[in-house]
Amino acid sequence: MSNSMDDVANHAQALLIIGSNTTEQHPVFGSMLRQAVLRRGAKLVVADPRRIDITEFATLHLRHQPGTDVALINGLMHIIVQNGWEDKQFIAERTEGFEDFQQVIQEYDPERVSEITGVPVDDLVKAAEILSLNKPMAVMWAMGITQHIVGVRNVMDLANLQMLLGNMGVLGGGVNPLRGQNNVQGACDMGGLPNVYPGYQAVTSAEARQKFEAAWGVPLSDQIGLTVTEMIPAAGEGKVKALYILGEDPVMSDPDTNHIRHCLETCEFIVLQELFPSETSVYADVLLPGVSFAEKSGSFTNTERRVQIVRQAIQPLGEARPDWQITAELARRILQAGPRQAQDAPYASWDYTSTAEIMQEIAALTPIYAGVSHARLEAGERLQWPVKDGRHPGTPILHVGQFSRGKGRFMPIEHVPPAELPDDEYPMLLSTGRVLYHWHGGQMTRRAQGLLAIYSESLIELNPEDAQRLGLNGNRRVRVTSRRGSIVAQAWITDRVPPGMVYANFHFPESPANELTLAALDPVAKIPEYKVCAVKVESAT
Amino acid sequence: MDVKLTINNTPITATPGQTILEVARQNGITIPTLCYHKDLSPVGSCRLCVVEVEKWRGQSAACTTPISEGMVVHTESPAIIQSRRLVLELLLQNYYDAGYAMGDRPQDNEFIHWVEHYRVTAPRQAQPRFAVNSDPNPVVWVDFNKCILCTRCVRACAEVQGRFVWGVAERGHQAQIVAGAGVPMLEARCESCGACVAYCPTGALDNRMSVGLGAADRKVLTTCTYCGVGCQLDLNVKDDVPGGRVFRVTSNPNAPVNGMHLCVKGRYGYDFIHHPDRVLRPRVRRYLLQGLPRPEHDRGEWVEVDWDTALGIAAEKLRQTREQHGPDSIGVLTSAKCLNEENYLMNKFARQVIGTNSIDHCARL
Ligand code: SF4
Ligand code: SF4
Ligand code: FES
């Protein structure tokens, strides 16, 4: 997020939530936003194909067709420019590329946008008005924006909107992606990505590479590596022969389960470090017991770039070990056996005695974490990166006064339809995601008795009209089939989903939504299009 | 313009618009409260916080009375103590304790704390007015025999969670807290976040999974393992087993992001930690121990081994793979559930030890 959650909740006059089921996926922030509406009268526009919970608090709900976000955003910007609501000073002083951009949005007149998105023209105008006349306005989004073949375009278009309205670098504004997992921000920050070292230093930059070669005492690869959505298929083709997996369950969380199973089956050797046996451990050769967050100390970084301490509360269960110790031990053994060995270098070694010591190494090599230390966190300092040195207080708001690249660049972006749309054979549209009571592949929440008691089996959301058309009567079990697989689950007949659309979650191995999903990827971010694929739904007797 | 006033004969300078209670707290003067909580809108209904203001008629509720210039306040005069004892006695008459150990009590039971502080005893034994455990909610325990009608739950649900589950039905002696129109909580659209529990001052609302387990031996402030909001919470630990066990999660008012609030997963999703499915010893497939090639389809049975064996096999296989097929034949998946420090090490493992940039995690999924 460019801004902080409390800042958005306290200062935004208008809120745009698009592709985020905030009250279920980021519940505490969701309740902060509810309060912003209830107590301060902030104006909320929700753009989502589903009538998700937060729409109850919305001034306006735009129920656009899945996969038409760019058209919708372009349409709003078209209306904004037509009415002269854009922030001309901000555009002149802090941005470039406005001319080319404007030519594209000119094509998105309300009638055309209404046709593509299914949103009435009146609502488009109303939304544009609310979002531009109440300043500052903050945009929030999550996987509903990114899990599309056009995920990156969607994100860039939201940045366009915020530059157009001058809502960058100000309290209560900004572009605010809500990161899913508790430490997905940290995993990215720490170089858990195929193209960057910690702190987003590119592996293709000779300078960055030399820096890490000098630090770690080895020559490093200058080739961008494989993303998860490439790595596992590569295992299926025999190009990747071994996998070392830490606490992930690709069988549950990756697209097109049948294909994933085949790939893992083919992979010659898999080391899995996990809490529980999982759908993925079936394919593992070595299973190393790691520990839960309660059994180790270190830090997580939340969605607003806030680095926070994690404290050990209990001893590791059984013989399980903190994951950092396991990785370090594997590293030591492999380096020792050679022939690839590390030369004498400041950070070549793996002899860590604590995570505080690892954080010192991170700080030394990662400019955005340069001033982060466990000592500061333990002393109660509240640090949001970039933290430039040991005395820098951190950065609650990004892009104040200037973007990191200097001027903000408007990107002309065109609407592209989803990879797989309903047709005669598979007439309905499937979108997937999570529910309030469960988490991801469900490995933890299905083992939490309270959560399981409240939500104990997968429910497929189905509109009453469709239910009637399918003749569901008393029988509420449905079979959902795509070109890739088929699942059976209980239907939840509800107008949360519009006619023609079903929604499924991937928390339960008995009816895993990813049997159905399509591995169509965004060409840049390599994110699968989880929010749109074509299915058929039948009564399951 | 500062306001000057006197509390218990001490001259105090305060900011206009503050209440007597706020000023007192800022200056380290304790005034007992029940219906008041700093996160919730004040209602001034329980009258435990009454104080005397010289030249004013009657007693005033400190939590709702704004300060004014020259005010002279007494917070513990005999008359005030008398009133507070009366308030507590009336409440205690209806406070029926069925005798099970309460969640966090007695330390955190604000009501019992004040009862004991003012040495109040019930004039007669209270009778149960409701069923103990009267709502089927799987995580929230309801026992309105302990309800003192402070309405903190009503306000917590509305003002913190934004859900409006609780309300007050009837009036006067008949008044009681109800979910929706007198239905089970979940039917009144409860999201089981436990905010009402966190703000309840008596244990009428409690955490079902730890009712009867008493107080924690230790509380450890840490960061939630679920979503990217990054709430902080107190893991409540009992040291009655070696190494300790987590048996409850409670709010910590100093949490930077969330204050007292948590969601259902953060507050009630902790028991996976001790689930019997946990893998507690390293495992390897039998073929690896026998030095045989991998079986064609199924990988064969698991064997539990010691760490040295498991790490030795894993390290050697990965090393051999790199030597035979090159560093890019190995893929590393790190984890968005793990620590920053662990993710850094996974990145260093892939790049320094193996020599590949093929490292990723489930950010995309
Ligand atoms: S658990 Fe949360 S949603 Fe349910 S009644 Fe209590 S405060 Fe309201
Ligand atoms: S308590 Fe809920 S909202 Fe807070 S971090 Fe945990 S999962 Fe997210
Ligand atoms: S605390 Fe002031 S009236 Fe209840």
Side-chain angles (χ1 to χ4, degrees):
Chain A
M1 295 173 74
S2 66
N3 288 54
S4 302
M5 288 179 281
D6 62 341
D7 150 20
V8 168
N10 293 330
H11 301 288
Q13 293 307 313
L15 304 157
L16 170 60
I17 298 180
I18 180 164
S20 154
N21 181 4
T22 323
T23 49
E24 293 200 57
Q25 295 314 320
H26 298 86
V28 165
F29 184 47
S31 55
M32 285 160 77
L33 295 180
R34 285 177 181 164
Q35 296 307 332
V37 172
L38 289 171
R39 294 206 204 180
R40 300 197 286 113
K43 297 273 184 298
L44 170 64
V45 176
V46 177
D48 202 296
R50 291 195 303 150
R51 186 170 288 138
I52 49 174
D53 170 85
I54 191 89
T55 60
E56 282 177 39
F57 294 77
T59 312
L60 190 62
H61 176 198
L62 306 175
R63 222 171 175 183
H64 61 308
Q65 284 292 323
T68 63
D69 304 273
V70 164
L72 178 69
I73 303 159
N74 281 353
L76 295 177
M77 294 192 291
H78 178 101
I79 298 167
I80 289 167
V81 171
Q82 207 172 37
N83 288 282
W85 290 331
E86 73 274 23
D87 186 334
K88 299 185 181 71
Q89 194 187 347
F90 186 93
I91 295 168
E93 288 172 6
R94 295 205 37 198
T95 68
E96 58 194 22
F98 184 68
E99 301 305 316
D100 292 350
F101 157 78
Q102 199 182 1
Q103 275 182 7
V104 169
I105 59 169
Q106 232 150 38
E107 308 296 312
Y108 288 80
D109 57 86
E111 287 68 29
R112 176 171 169 227
V113 169
S114 178
E115 203 161 294
I116 301 173
T117 61
V119 177
V121 170
D122 276 359
D123 283 356
L124 292 170
V125 175
K126 250 192 270 173
E129 188 171 344
I130 295 170
L131 297 173
S132 11
L133 301 187
N134 297 281
K135 283 182 93 163
M137 181 272 286
V139 176
M140 269 70 59
W141 72 85
M143 294 301 198
I145 277 294
T146 52
Q147 285 179 340
H148 289 284
I149 53 164
V150 294
V152 169
R153 292 158 167 259
N154 286 347
V155 169
M156 292 196 288
D157 221 17
L158 289 170
N160 284 338
L161 174 67
Q162 288 300 61
M163 289 195 291
L164 187 68
L165 292 171
N167 282 320
M168 298 290 251
V170 292
L171 271 178
V175 283
N176 301 291
L178 305 175
R179 309 303 308 258
Q181 296 271 9
N182 59 331
N183 203 30
V184 64
Q185 182 70 53
C188 294
D189 297 348
M190 292 298 106
L193 293 170
N195 58 338
V196 287
Y197 298 118
Y200 308 97
Q201 305 173 76
V203 297
T204 48
S205 141
E207 199 189 329
R209 202 164 53 247
Q210 281 155 15
K211 168 177 164 179
F212 281 90
E213 287 178 340
W216 290 338
V218 290
L220 294 171
S221 163
D222 60 358
Q223 299 292 308
I224 291 178
L226 302 176
T227 64
V228 53
T229 41
E230 294 166 330
M231 197 185 291
I232 293 182
E237 292 159 20
K239 289 188 197 135
V240 163
K241 308 260 182 210
L243 291 169
Y244 173 26
I245 305 176
L246 171 59
E248 300 253 322
D249 192 2
V251 174
M252 286 295 281
S253 59
D254 289 30
D256 193 352
T257 313
N258 285 325
H259 183 56
I260 300 286
R261 286 184 192 278
H262 162 79
C263 295
L264 293 178
E265 167 82 47
T266 310
C267 186
E268 277 175 21
F269 186 67
I270 299 179
V271 180
L272 178 64
Q273 205 163 304
E274 252 298 5
L275 294 180
F276 300 108
S278 62
E279 297 300 302
T280 298
S281 68
V282 173
Y283 304 98
D285 298 276
V286 177
L287 183 56
L288 303 173
V291 300
S292 74
F293 77 122
E295 296 152 75
K296 57 190 174 188
S297 292
S299 63
F300 291 149
T301 302
N302 80 351
T303 185
E304 54 183 7
R305 298 167 282 106
R306 187 189 297 276
V307 189
Q308 303 196 100
I309 205 86
V310 176
R311 289 195 186 87
Q312 181 172 3
I314 56 171
Q315 293 304 315
L317 299 191
E319 292 178 24
R321 290 185 183 176
D323 297 276
W324 60 274
Q325 293 178 4
I326 303 173
T327 307
E329 183 62 33
L330 276 178
R332 275 195 291 268
R333 287 177 188 241
I334 296 174
L335 284 178
Q336 205 164 32
R340 181 179 169 89
Q341 267 166 344
Q343 305 306 310
D344 194 26
Y347 300 109
S349 121
W350 286 82
D351 295 323
Y352 304 104
T353 54
S354 70
T355 50
E357 202 180 325
I358 303 174
M359 185 51 90
Q360 284 169 11
E361 181 170 329
I362 295 168
L365 297 173
T366 314
I368 55 175
Y369 277 67
V372 177
S373 68
H374 283 204
R376 289 185 79 182
L377 297 174
E378 282 292 356
E381 283 197 67
R382 299 179 172 191
L383 300 176
Q384 285 169 276
W385 65 252
V387 189
K388 295 179 182 145
D389 58 53
R391 311 186 56 174
H392 187 259
T395 314
I397 308 179
L398 293 179
H399 316 307
V400 177
Q402 201 184 342
F403 291 99
S404 37
R405 66 181 292 275
K407 292 214 169 198
R409 180 162 198 89
F410 279 103
M411 306 294 282
I413 292 173
E414 296 277 8
H415 165 70
V416 178
E420 184 183 86
L421 281 170
D423 53 20
D424 288 347
E425 201 181 343
Y426 296 96
M428 295 191 63
L429 189 150
L430 168 78
S431 215
T432 67
R434 305 192 282 232
V435 305
L436 172 61
Y437 301 99
H438 286 282
W439 190 252
H440 225 63
Q443 292 85 355
M444 299 189 295
T445 51
R446 278 184 282 111
R447 294 186 175 90
Q449 56 165 341
L451 301 179
L452 196 63
I454 298 172
Y455 193 106
S456 54
E457 66 170 332
S458 191
L459 295 175
I460 302 223
E461 295 174 19
L462 180 70
N463 186 276
E465 271 180 38
D466 293 319
Q468 195 175 24
R469 191 172 43 78
L470 296 168
L472 274 189
N473 289 326
N475 175 13
R476 291 280 163 88
R477 284 190 86 69
V478 289
R479 171 174 293 282
V480 184
T481 310
S482 77
R483 290 188 172 80
R484 294 152 295 276
S486 178
I487 64 174
V488 174
Q490 202 74 4
W492 173 21
I493 315 283
T494 168
D495 65 359
R496 266 166 80 96
V497 284
M501 173 175 174
V502 286
Y503 181 84
N505 68 63
F506 58 102
H507 303 306
F508 293 85
E510 299 80 25
S511 39
N514 284 323
E515 297 272 351
L516 308 172
T517 51
L518 175 68
L521 305 181
D522 179 283
V524 183
K526 310 288 163 71
I527 293 185
E529 187 153 61
Y530 278 164
K531 298 309 177 196
V532 185
C533 76
V535 294
K536 66 175 173 223
V537 182
E538 305 149 294
S539 161
T541 33
Chain B
M1 263 298 283
D2 286 347
V3 177
K4 292 195 174 43
L5 70 161
T6 309
I7 303 183
N8 299 347
N9 305 318
T10 311
I12 286 172
T13 313
T15 320
Q18 289 188 291
T19 61
I20 298 176
L21 179 68
E22 285 163 352
V23 174
R25 287 201 171 167
Q26 259 172 25
N27 289 277
I29 299 164
T30 307
I31 298 176
T33 54
L34 280 177
C35 66
Y36 172 86
H37 190 286
K38 68 172 178 32
D39 299 350
L40 307 174
S41 56
V43 290
S45 64
C46 77
R47 300 206 50 91
L48 188 68
C49 68
V50 287
V51 294
E52 249 173 40
V53 181
E54 280 183 19
K55 305 210 186 76
W56 287 24
R57 213 180 304 160
Q59 300 172 339
S60 313
C63 69
T64 50
T65 309
I67 50 166
S68 56
E69 183 63 34
M71 200 178 222
V72 179
V73 182
H74 299 284
T75 70
E76 294 278 333
S77 69
I80 288 296
I81 292 177
Q82 188 54 32
S83 307
R84 291 195 187 139
R85 300 192 74 205
L86 203 68
V87 166
L88 291 167
E89 196 176 295
L90 278 170
L91 294 174
L92 202 56
Q93 265 179 34
N94 279 329
Y95 182 87
Y96 170 75
D97 184 341
Y100 54 88
M102 287 169 283
D104 236 5
R105 336 298 149 167
Q107 301 97 310
D108 289 359
N109 186 330
E110 293 172 40
F111 173 60
I112 293 300
H113 171 84
W114 293 120
V115 164
E116 288 170 358
H117 179 88
Y118 287 105
R119 301 213 178 80
V120 179
T121 46
R124 58 183 162 77
Q125 179 67 44
Q127 294 305 311
R129 294 166 296 146
F130 307 98
V132 173
N133 184 15
S134 60
D135 193 286
N137 185 300
V139 292
V140 178
W141 166 272
V142 181
D143 178 2
F144 283 136
N145 295 301
K146 291 178 175 163
C147 174
I148 56 168
L149 284 171
C150 68
T151 70
R152 268 157 63 161
C153 57
V154 178
R155 285 170 286 150
C157 190
E159 297 171 13
V160 176
Q161 177 68 353
R163 206 55 176 180
F164 313 99
V165 170
W166 296 118
V168 184
E170 311 288 346
R171 280 161 192 275
H173 284 311
Q174 300 300 312
Q176 70 175 83
I177 301 289
V178 290
V183 295
M185 293 170 72
L186 289 178
E187 280 174 37
R189 307 188 66 216
C190 166
E191 292 172 308
S192 304
C193 68
C196 52
V197 174
Y199 285 94
C200 174
T202 72
L205 301 176
D206 208 337
N207 299 309
R208 175 182 295 281
M209 296 189 291
S210 57
V211 162
L213 296 180
D217 294 327
R218 294 181 285 126
K219 290 188 181 184
V220 180
L221 177 63
T222 191
T223 308
C224 178
T225 186
Y226 286 108
C227 85
V229 171
C231 297
Q232 292 207 316
L233 44 83
D234 276 337
L235 292 177
N236 290 215
V237 179
K238 286 253 192 216
D239 285 318
D240 54 0
V241 296
R245 67 185 167 108
V246 176
F247 75 108
R248 180 195 297 132
V249 164
T250 47
S251 304
N252 185 312
N254 300 322
V257 173
N258 53 305
M260 293 280 286
H261 199 24
L262 288 169
C263 81
V264 61
K265 293 185 288 285
R267 198 185 296 279
Y268 298 114
Y270 56 84
D271 46 331
F272 75 88
I273 296 170
H274 295 282
H275 195 278
D277 287 354
R278 280 282 298 267
V279 182
L280 299 178
R281 289 199 74 197
R283 294 177 194 175
V284 301
R285 300 288 182 183
R286 185 170 299 286
Y287 81 87
L288 289 165
L289 291 173
Q290 295 169 327
L292 296 171
R294 200 190 107 186
E296 212 26 51
H297 283 296
D298 176 3
R299 284 171 142 91
E301 79 180 295
W302 284 118
V303 184
E304 286 199 343
V305 294
D306 57 32
W307 273 103
D308 189 53
T309 308
L311 288 166
I313 290 173
E316 186 48 26
K317 275 283 197 180
L318 291 174
R319 197 191 66 83
Q320 278 171 9
T321 307
R322 184 193 61 201
E323 292 315 311
Q324 280 166 20
H325 305 285
D328 289 333
S329 67
I330 296 177
V332 175
L333 284 182
T334 185
S335 171
K337 283 204 263 301
C338 286
L339 303 170
N340 284 330
E341 293 79 359
E342 291 167 340
N343 279 289
Y344 171 80
L345 290 194
M346 289 296 277
N347 132 83
K348 184 173 171 183
F349 182 92
R351 297 187 158 117
Q352 186 215 30
V353 177
I354 304 294
T356 180
N357 284 316
S358 287
I359 173 170
D360 199 11
H361 64 284
C362 71
R364 293 159 222 271
L365 305 170

